């Protein structure tokens, strides 16, 4: 109508109102008083997203997977998977959270109600993550404390925890490295930090390490007081936790580049083994890495973006933060491979023969071993483990009740055999389940909610709809690459090992039960929703698949009506 001045759509508690500047009858428009917290500054949000996406996985998971898959050959599928899979899903979650301004559970009533179980699964997965992820940060805190000494405790074989296999080859020309040799750094990690030799696998994990329990308690205390006032507090904390790692990485990169033999690691990192591109496992690992690195499916991006203003440019945020994340992984690769090249030079072996095990051992054995033999080793050890702690802390989101639950749930990972539990939870509690969640989320949004409806939501926020590239990725490519990971992981599951321990068959079955315990809420809720919705089966399906009208849609319809002469 002429003279109509519509109120801009907002999100929060609905309130009926209207604006009218002529004498015609008032036209109702849904407006809102937004009671939801907002970020104090735009940079608070960006650093929080970067802090979540850039975590320990960038420092240990990416370099190790790259190491296992032929160095430079892995970078090709990694970049392709990022462009066509990871970044589109990252953008999708930021846009969903900002438009609907709600969390991972309640958002489904606005998308496709029958998929609400996905939100519950995300919560269970997040719980499993908290059981082991904070334990890894506690290990870093133990190292940080141990670093305050003139001589770092993992530099020699003269300690009470060392064995006859301990071999210190730095600064010595007549030492031969064999398959049974163990470095001082490895024995410090396995026999002093973990005391894993006191456990008999998963059958007898032994008692709780009180030193690690104290470290974990301190970590949870820091997490709680960083978040107890919501985004107003966490938005300030990330200014330190999200930026400090880059300062440390730069320092370590410069130092690593000056180490003898560093060039050998860089060559291995950048020179592709082209035959590796013909192996399916390389592409599966690349897809899995970019998915875990950017973090869609965990619900955190939904939560963080829900505190943004409605018109915030989430497209630009997605591109910037994704680029920062991927570049961080690439830089971390240079940092790690310069060190691996140095270690290969000292041991007189090939670069591919340096690292033994997958997972945190790359952080807690390989790096401390190299740092211990640098000039100013105490300084470099301190800043390295500060970086690890901050990388972990700004990826953790919990409140007081969850802090208590997560701390109690983490006790099994603090035992002498806790590292075995950490590995099991990492593999089954998160791995397969979160990929299934991401796949179903992509299907629900692009197929059931509808890519056109979703594009209109983005247009309402940004003023322009996403291009054809994003639509094709959301509808076809991203779901396809997630389905590819799921099928490939089911067809060929590698044996699970840690150090010299091979996980028994019964523990693998337990792992699948853990995975099922998070995924099962999706079909359970689907059945519940269909049974409790009134009407015929056809009517029930229509109701369960149709999103509830959001406040923004009511606003948009009212404004369209107002524009009719």
């Amino acid at each position: 109508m002429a003279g109509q001045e519509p109120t801009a759509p907002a999100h929060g508690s609905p309130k009926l109102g209207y604006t009218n500047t002529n004498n015609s009858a008032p036209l109702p428009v849904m407006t809102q008083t937004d009671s939801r917290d907002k970020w104090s500054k735009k940079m608070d949000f960006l650093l929080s997203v970067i802090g979540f996406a850039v975590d320990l996985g960038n420092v240990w998971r990416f370099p190790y997977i790259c190491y296992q898959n032929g160095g430079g050959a892995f970078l090709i599928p990694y970049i392709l998977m990022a462009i066509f899979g990871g970044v589109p899903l990252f953008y999708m979650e930021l846009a969903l959270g900002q438009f609907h301004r709600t969390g991972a559970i309640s958002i489904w009533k606005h998308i496709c109600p029958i998929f609400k179980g996905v939100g519950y699964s995300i919560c269970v997965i997040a719980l499993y993550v908290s059981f082991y992820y904070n334990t890894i940060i506690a290990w870093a805190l133990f190292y940080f404390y141990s670093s305050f000494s003139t001589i770092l405790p993992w530099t020699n074989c003269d300690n009470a925890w060392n064995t006859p296999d301990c071999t210190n080859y730095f600064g010595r020309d007549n030492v031969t490295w064999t398959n049974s040799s163990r470095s001082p750094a490895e024995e410090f990690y396995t026999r002093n930090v973990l005391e894993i030799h006191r456990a008999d696998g998963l059958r007898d994990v032994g008692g709780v390490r009180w030193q690690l329990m104290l470290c974990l308690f301190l970590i949870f205390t820091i997490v709680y007081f960083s978040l107890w006032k919501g985004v107003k507090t966490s938005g300030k904390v990330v200014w330190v936790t999200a930026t400090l790692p880059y300062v440390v990485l730069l320092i370590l990169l410069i130092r690593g580049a000056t180490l003898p033999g560093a060039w050998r690691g860089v060559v291995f990192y950048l020179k592709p083994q082209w035959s590796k591109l013909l192996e399916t496992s390389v592409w599966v690992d690349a897809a899995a890495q970019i998915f875990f690195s950017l973090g869609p499916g965990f619900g955190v991006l939904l939560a963080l973006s829900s505190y943004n203003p409605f018109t915030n440019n989430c497209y630009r945020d997605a591109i910037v933060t994704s680029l920062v994340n991927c570049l961080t992984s690439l830089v971390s690769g240079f940092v790690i491979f310069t060190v691996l090249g140095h270690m290969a030079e000292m041991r007189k072996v090939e670069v591919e023969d340096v690292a033994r095990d997958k997972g945190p051992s790359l952080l807690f054995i390989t790096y401390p071993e190299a740092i211990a033999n640098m000039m100013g080793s105490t300084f470099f050890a301190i800043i390295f483990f500060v970086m690890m702690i901050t990388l972990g802390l700004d990826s953790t989101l919990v409140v007081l009740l969850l802090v208590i639950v997560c701390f109690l749930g983490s006790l099994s990972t603090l035992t002498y055999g806790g590292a075995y539990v950490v590995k099991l939870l990492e593999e089954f509690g998160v791995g397969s389940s979160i990929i299934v969640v991401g796949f179903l989320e992509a299907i629900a949004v692009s197929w059931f909610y509808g890519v056109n409806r979703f594009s209109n939501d983005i247009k309402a926020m940004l003023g322009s709809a996403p291009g054809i590239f994003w639509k094709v990725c959301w509808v076809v490519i991203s779901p396809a690459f997630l389905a590819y990971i799921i099928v490939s992981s089911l067809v060929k599951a590698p044996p699970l090992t840690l150090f010299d321990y091979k996980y028994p068959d019964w523990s693998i079955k337990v792992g699948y039960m853990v995975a099922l315990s998070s995924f099962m809420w999706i079909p359970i809720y689907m059945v519940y929703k269909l049974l409790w919705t009134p009407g015929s089966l056809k009517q029930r399906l229509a109701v369960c698949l149709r999103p509830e009208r959001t406040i923004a849609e009511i606003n948009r319809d009212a404004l369209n009506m107002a524009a009719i002469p």
Side-chain angles (χ1 to χ4, degrees), residues 56 60 132-133 135-144 146 152-156 159 161-163 166 182-198 209 212 356-369 384-385 388 413-423 426 497-500 503:
L56 294 177
W60 114 62
Y132 77 86
Y133 192 82
T135 296
I136 296 176
I137 309 174
W139 294 346
L141 184 58
F142 188 98
Y143 269 86
F144 175 71
S146 302
L152 295 175
W154 57 83
T155 57
N156 56 71
N159 305 286
W161 57 81
N162 292 128
T163 68
C166 184
R182 297 291 182 268
S183 69
E186 181 174 349
E187 292 204 342
F188 176 83
Y189 173 58
T190 58
R191 298 181 63 83
N192 186 47
V193 178
L194 303 179
E195 293 193 16
I196 201 168
H197 61 285
R198 300 180 63 178
R209 290 267 288 127
L212 294 180
R356 295 176 182 270
D357 299 293
K358 181 180 179 180
S361 62
L362 189 66
L363 286 175
F364 295 105
I365 296 177
T366 307
Y367 244 104
E369 183 173 327
F384 178 73
F385 290 110
M388 288 176 57
T413 65
L414 303 176
T415 58
Y416 299 125
Y420 300 132
V421 181
V422 168
K423 179 75 172 181
E426 179 193 359
T497 60
L498 182 65
F499 304 121
D500 297 324
Y503 283 70

Side-chain angles (χ1 to χ4, degrees), residues 383-454:
I383 64 170
F384 178 73
F385 290 110
V386 166
M387 178 192 73
M388 288 176 57
I389 294 170
T390 55
L391 278 173
L393 284 177
D394 56 18
S395 300
T396 305
L397 292 172
V398 285
V399 292
L400 180 58
L401 180 60
L402 283 180
V403 165
I404 297 173
V405 173
C406 294
F407 179 80
L408 295 176
S410 301
L411 292 180
S412 63
T413 65
L414 303 176
T415 58
Y416 299 125
Y420 300 132
V421 181
V422 168
K423 179 75 172 181
L424 193 71
L425 287 174
E426 179 193 359
E427 197 73 21
F428 292 100
V430 182
S432 55
S433 299
I434 197 65
I435 296 176
V436 173
V437 164
F439 171 75
L440 292 177
E441 181 181 302
I443 292 296
V445 173
S446 58
W447 293 9
F448 290 93
Y449 184 73
V451 70
N452 290 330
R453 185 200 298 263
F454 182 51

Side-chain angles (χ1 to χ4, degrees), residues 99-242:
F99 184 83
H100 296 287
R101 294 186 60 74
T102 187
I105 295 178
S106 55
I107 194 173
W108 288 100
K109 66 181 181 182
H110 304 308
I111 298 175
C112 188
I114 201 171
F115 281 92
K116 191 175 182 179
V118 170
Y120 293 114
S121 293
I122 289 173
C123 293
V124 176
I125 292 170
L127 196 63
Y128 288 145
V129 171
S130 70
F131 288 167
Y132 77 86
Y133 192 82
N134 292 292
T135 296
I136 296 176
I137 309 174
W139 294 346
L141 184 58
F142 188 98
Y143 269 86
F144 175 71
Y145 170 77
S146 302
S147 299
F148 285 92
S149 59
T150 305
I151 300 177
L152 295 175
W154 57 83
T155 57
N156 56 71
C157 297
D158 303 327
N159 305 286
W161 57 81
N162 292 128
T163 68
D165 291 328
C166 184
T167 305
N168 190 2
Y169 51 82
F170 281 94
R172 303 177 183 180
D173 298 327
N174 58 346
V175 175
T176 303
W177 186 266
T178 66
N179 289 333
S180 62
S181 298
R182 297 291 182 268
S183 69
E186 181 174 349
E187 292 204 342
F188 176 83
Y189 173 58
T190 58
R191 298 181 63 83
N192 186 47
V193 178
L194 303 179
E195 293 193 16
I196 201 168
H197 61 285
R198 300 180 63 178
D200 184 19
L202 286 172
R203 288 190 179 276
D204 181 14
V205 293
V208 173
R209 290 267 288 127
W210 69 266
Q211 297 92 335
L212 294 180
M213 184 171 66
L214 179 59
C215 290
L216 186 65
F217 177 78
L218 292 175
I219 291 297
F220 273 119
T221 301
I222 295 171
V223 168
Y224 172 70
F225 283 105
S226 298
L227 300 170
W228 70 314
K229 289 188 177 180
V231 296
K232 301 297 183 182
T233 303
S234 62
K236 302 297 181 292
V237 174
V238 293
W239 279 84
V240 176
T241 58

Side-chain angles (χ1 to χ4, degrees), residues 72-83 277 282-284 286-287 290:
F74 176 77
L75 298 179
I76 297 173
Y78 174 79
I79 293 173
L80 291 176
M81 290 296 181
I83 294 173
L277 294 178
V282 176
W283 293 85
V284 173
I290 195 65

